[in-house]
Amino acid sequence: MNIFSPITMVKGVGEKTSKLFEKIGVYTVGDILLRFPRNYTQYPKIECIDEIETMTEGYHAICAQVKRSVVVKKTKTMQVSILVIGQECNKMELVWYRMPYIKSQLEIGKFYVFYGKVVVKNGHYVMEQSIIYDVEKYQKGEERFLPVYALTNGLTNNVITKTIQ
């Protein structure tokens, strides 16, 4: 493989993914190597769920122990998975849309870091579509800057990063 090889020569890039790369002007291995990030981000420091009272709206990384199982509710159009973390006075509702498999990914009694945008709805804190990390994995990502690439519909930042690596 060299810089003139088609992008499909990279492991994990098939016909479908190559079509998405073509939308952003990536046709060869050289093209993806010259694809520079538009920005860099760093994950915020981990906050304990007990610090929720001092929290403002915005992106946060909340460390909490899963004490209850995820509840999956079915509506007319989709499934909604809900998990409440924290104690009675310091609690947050985590909501995922169309992701019922979340229930099988979280173990009761284990600590996780939930990263996402926190908003106040009806007087309580809610984080929608949060990303779930093991505490150790999040701490490794916290130590470095992560690239943010220009994307197209169907192509994620994670796919571009893995392809470049």
Side-chain angles (χ1 to χ4, degrees), residues 22-156:
E22 287 175 9
K23 288 182 179 180
I24 60 170
V26 174
Y27 301 95
T28 66
V29 172
D31 292 338
I32 194 68
L33 293 176
L34 292 173
R35 196 82 185 165
F36 297 106
R38 64 178 169 89
N39 200 358
Y40 288 90
T41 186
Q42 189 171 20
Y43 289 140
K45 294 285 182 201
I46 296 175
E47 299 173 71
C48 182
I49 189 68
D50 296 334
E51 302 168 4
I52 197 168
E53 292 176 351
T54 61
M55 211 175 281
T56 58
E57 289 190 356
Y59 286 91
H60 293 275
I62 309 296
C63 183
Q65 184 180 25
V66 175
K67 295 184 179 179
R68 305 172 192 111
S69 63
V70 176
V71 176
V72 179
K73 295 181 179 180
K74 295 180 181 180
T75 66
K76 288 183 180 179
T77 58
M78 72 178 104
Q79 293 178 321
V80 180
S81 303
I82 301 169
L83 174 65
V84 178
I85 57 173
Q87 305 297 329
E88 278 305 311
C89 56
N90 296 330
K91 67 180 180 179
M92 177 181 289
E93 190 174 86
L94 305 174
V95 181
W96 295 274
Y97 302 102
R98 295 183 180 95
M99 297 173 71
Y101 56 86
I102 291 288
K103 185 174 185 170
S104 63
Q105 290 184 341
L106 297 174
E107 294 177 38
I108 295 177
K110 191 172 177 185
F111 282 88
Y112 295 95
V113 175
F114 301 96
Y115 173 71
K117 187 174 184 178
V118 175
V119 295
V120 177
K121 288 187 178 179
N122 299 325
H124 63 278
Y125 291 97
V126 177
M127 184 185 288
E128 295 179 345
Q129 298 298 109
S130 65
I131 302 170
I132 305 165
Y133 293 95
D134 287 326
V135 177
E136 294 162 3
K137 184 177 179 185
Y138 186 87
Q139 287 172 334
K140 287 180 184 175
E142 203 176 35
E143 298 169 358
R144 55 193 169 114
F145 286 101
L146 303 168
V148 177
Y149 294 96
L151 304 173
T152 185
N153 193 18
L155 192 62
T156 65

